[in-house]
Amino acid sequence: MQVDDEVLDAHVERAGSADSASRATEAEARVWKFTSSGMQEERSGHVRDGDSRSSEVIWVDLSDYQASDLEEIASQLGLDPAGVAAALAPWQRPGVTAFRDHALVNASVLDLDEETLRIHANEMDCFIGETFVITAHSRALPFIDQIIERAEGNAELVREDPAYLLYIVLDELVDTFAHTAEELDRIVEDLEDQALLSDDQGFLNILVRHKRFVYSVNRLVAQHGFLFHGLLRPDFPFVSGESVEGYFTELNERAKAVTGMFDEARQEMRGTFDIYMSSVAHRTNGVMKTLTMISILVLPATAIFGFFGTNFVQLPFFGTAGFVFMFLLLVFLTAGQLMLFRVRGWLD
């Protein structure tokens, strides 16, 4: 496990909530309220007036925030201090933690840098309660606009059950994983084409780096299996409503399918290694075949030269006739060998 973590750390740049909480920057907080008239954004950024048990559903999105920002919202909505501390920890693996009247969902948003083979993993912490959803992340979500658009189009469903908003967030996350899997598949295909033709000695190092890169992405995505499975536990009440349970069941199946895409990319990467090694072995066999044919061609000549070069007087064929005989013998033996090689296809 330690070796796996070292390989993962070599390609992953993690950004937990504590990374933004330690910076002296102004947080970007956006608040939406879901009422009978639809979804409305609160320009003032104020979370809630009065009783935190209000039937009004709100969504708070925190980006590049400090610890005090999340703690202030936590005090207004009555979040468990243990959940807030977990969200402010340096890094949390994807998973689900249930408290008395709300839950914390941790996920990772991935951004791949193909040039440097680095993975920027941004932790996203989602608090969900009966009347609120909080999404907190150190970097802006690349799919925040899609979430807003879908939430606005399904405002009534979100007002009835905030878990539907959590479903939208995780559904968009799975979509980004699917796009990432397609990107990895394209990278592996390019490597397969290069493996067939490349004779560069440094290409093996390139393959090793890409193999570790694909392995790291696969591990980060596979960790979300615990998250999607945990949301469907019978003892987890926050997504057990009849209106949303089916959505999360479908989301879990789709997440499994996307995870399978990453497993396929990992297997294809191994296949690329086999292709490259087979290509190297084929070229090596070609070199050995050429050297073998040269050795076979030279061997008869060496034997003949050795016989006629013994330098003893009155040997058979000694004289001009012997030299002509030796020369013709060399020509016929060499031509016969070349014809045999051609018939067997060794000269192709």
Side-chain angles (χ1 to χ4, degrees), residues 181 218 221 254-267:
N218 182 75
V221 174
R254 197 158 68 89
K256 290 180 180 178
V258 172
T259 303
M261 295 171 62
F262 285 94
D263 290 335
E264 291 176 2
R266 186 177 178 182
Q267 294 297 329

Side-chain angles (χ1 to χ4, degrees), residues 46-254:
H46 188 70
V47 176
R48 174 170 286 166
D49 296 319
D51 190 358
S52 63
R53 295 171 296 178
S54 170
S55 60
E56 185 180 59
V57 175
I58 64 170
W59 170 29
V60 182
D61 183 71
L62 278 175
S63 179
D64 199 18
Y65 62 96
Q66 299 183 46
S68 58
D69 299 315
L70 181 59
E71 290 170 352
E72 180 181 355
I73 295 175
S75 63
Q76 296 183 45
L77 299 178
L79 300 182
D80 192 289
V84 176
L88 293 175
W91 178 259
Q92 294 291 321
R93 289 176 178 267
V96 180
T97 306
F99 301 99
R100 183 174 58 85
D101 56 357
H102 61 278
L104 171 61
V105 177
N106 304 104
S108 301
V109 182
L110 307 183
D111 181 22
L112 306 187
D113 189 341
E114 185 177 346
E115 293 184 0
T116 60
L117 296 183
R118 296 287 296 175
I119 308 164
H120 303 284
N122 177 23
E123 179 181 336
M124 178 178 63
D125 302 305
C126 301
F127 290 90
I128 176 173
E130 296 180 356
T131 59
F132 63 86
V133 174
I134 302 172
T135 52
H137 36 87
S138 61
R139 297 174 181 166
L141 296 179
F143 46 85
I144 185 66
D145 292 336
Q146 291 88 331
I147 297 175
I148 295 173
E149 182 179 355
R150 292 180 61 181
E152 188 173 8
N154 299 273
E156 186 63 26
L157 287 174
V158 176
R159 192 172 70 87
E160 292 179 1
D161 195 336
Y164 187 78
L165 179 57
L166 176 63
Y167 160 75
I168 293 176
V169 173
L170 296 179
D171 188 58
E172 291 296 331
L173 176 65
V174 173
D175 277 344
T176 63
F177 289 163
H179 293 311
T180 300
E182 293 174 356
E183 185 177 350
L184 283 184
D185 188 62
R186 178 186 56 80
I187 293 174
V188 174
E189 286 182 357
D190 292 341
L191 288 174
E192 287 179 348
D193 295 337
Q194 297 178 41
L196 286 172
L197 304 174
S198 177
D199 55 357
D200 186 5
Q201 297 295 329
F203 185 71
L204 182 59
N205 293 331
I206 295 176
L207 279 181
V208 171
R209 292 184 64 229
H210 278 82
K211 180 182 178 181
R212 292 176 176 175
F213 176 69
V214 172
Y215 170 76
S216 299
V217 178
N218 182 75
R219 275 200 61 190
L220 286 172
V221 174
Q223 291 174 355
H224 289 79
F226 300 100
L227 162 61
F228 294 110
H229 179 72
L231 292 173
L232 296 176
R233 290 199 316 250
D235 59 340
F236 189 75
F238 301 100
V239 298
S240 59
E242 295 181 358
S243 60
V244 295
E245 187 175 7
Y247 291 106
F248 282 92
T249 301
E250 182 270 337
L251 178 62
N252 183 46
E253 294 299 322
R254 197 158 68 89

